[in-house]
Amino acid sequence: MVKQHTAKEQITNELAALQQRISELEAAEIEHKRVEEALRESEELSRGLIEAATVGTYIVQDGKFQYINPEYAQISGYTADELLRTYSLDYVHPDDRKAVRTKAIEQLKGQSRTPYVYRFLHKDGGTLWILERVASIPYKGQRAAIGSFMDISERKRAEEALRIKDQAIASSISGIVLVDLDGPITYVNQTYLDMF
């Protein structure tokens, strides 16, 4: 009888332990589902932010485009399908490729955070001036680069026009003096200085 009572007690204890383990597993599954849902929502938010960004955003892995947001496609003139799985450096002006590669590597290694400027070959055959910055990220289990891509061609044209104007003023055969409305002289060219 004692043996039967001990066996019954042992079975009862094992049953209680199994019920406790089942409860723990059920709680763990509920937590796992909650974490999966939070991760899915986070991924949706991230994708939404990138898709709605006003700068071009892309992901490059092993030198090839893996993702292009709509703004990147708009700026570049290429569709995502035309760019995906092609080498990103193929779209950089040949004279700028080495510098772009060097700057990107510096940023990926954390040695620089300063954006760099280069010429991009637009689909229509023209050239765009691009301000870019990249960072290292994990993507589908491997290391990749995410980049921001901004067309600054208008700014570059304005800078060049200003440089030419300044050069013309500085080298003019006429003496030129610029005076502020309050009276102080703000600029004189070399010809004016030579005259006086």
Side-chain angles (χ1 to χ4, degrees):
M1 182 99 161
V2 172
K3 211 176 191 182
Q4 193 177 29
H5 179 65
T6 305
K8 189 175 183 183
E9 190 176 301
Q10 184 180 2
I11 290 172
T12 304
N13 289 341
E14 287 177 8
L15 185 58
L18 284 173
Q19 287 174 334
Q20 175 65 31
R21 183 66 182 140
I22 289 170
S23 293
E24 290 170 359
L25 288 172
E26 287 173 343
E29 185 172 338
I30 290 168
E31 177 63 13
H32 179 73
K33 286 181 181 179
R34 188 194 65 74
V35 168
E36 278 183 342
E37 179 64 19
L39 180 60
R40 186 186 61 73
E41 287 175 359
S42 176
E43 288 172 350
E44 288 173 4
L45 175 63
S46 295
R47 179 161 300 278
L49 289 171
I50 290 172
E51 293 289 319
T54 58
V55 297
T57 305
Y58 62 89
I59 295 174
V60 169
Q61 198 169 53
D62 298 323
K64 294 181 179 181
F65 287 112
Q66 301 299 315
Y67 170 79
I68 302 294
N69 79 339
E71 187 65 17
Y72 189 99
Q74 174 69 31
I75 293 169
S76 72
Y78 296 94
T79 67
D81 287 339
E82 291 172 314
L83 291 170
L84 292 177
R85 291 167 295 288
T86 64
Y87 285 98
S88 60
L89 282 176
D90 288 349
Y91 302 92
V92 174
H93 191 282
D95 294 343
D96 297 345
R97 286 181 186 154
K98 184 177 178 183
V100 166
R101 188 174 190 285
T102 300
K103 294 286 187 185
I105 288 171
E106 288 173 2
Q107 288 188 358
L108 293 171
K109 289 182 175 182
Q111 298 169 343
S112 172
R113 292 186 41 82
T114 305
Y116 50 91
V117 176
Y118 67 93
R119 291 168 291 175
F120 179 86
L121 305 173
H122 192 274
K123 183 178 180 177
D124 69 7
T127 301
L128 301 176
W129 283 97
I130 299 298
L131 178 69
E132 186 170 77
R133 189 164 162 202
V134 296
S136 182
I137 61 165
Y139 182 72
K140 295 186 178 181
Q142 295 182 353
R143 189 174 150 193
I146 187 167
S148 63
F149 179 89
M150 186 183 305
D151 181 3
I152 60 165
S153 300
E154 282 298 317
R155 184 181 94 185
K156 288 298 261 182
R157 283 190 282 276
E159 287 173 356
E160 180 62 14
L162 185 58
R163 186 189 65 75
I164 290 169
K165 183 182 118 199
D166 287 348
Q167 210 172 31
I169 289 172
S171 63
S172 173
I173 60 170
S174 301
I176 297 175
V177 177
L178 298 177
V179 180
D180 194 355
L181 292 176
D182 296 331
I185 296 173
T186 59
Y187 175 83
V188 295
N189 70 351
Q190 189 61 47
T191 305
Y192 180 85
L193 292 174
D194 293 343
M195 290 169 52
F196 296 100

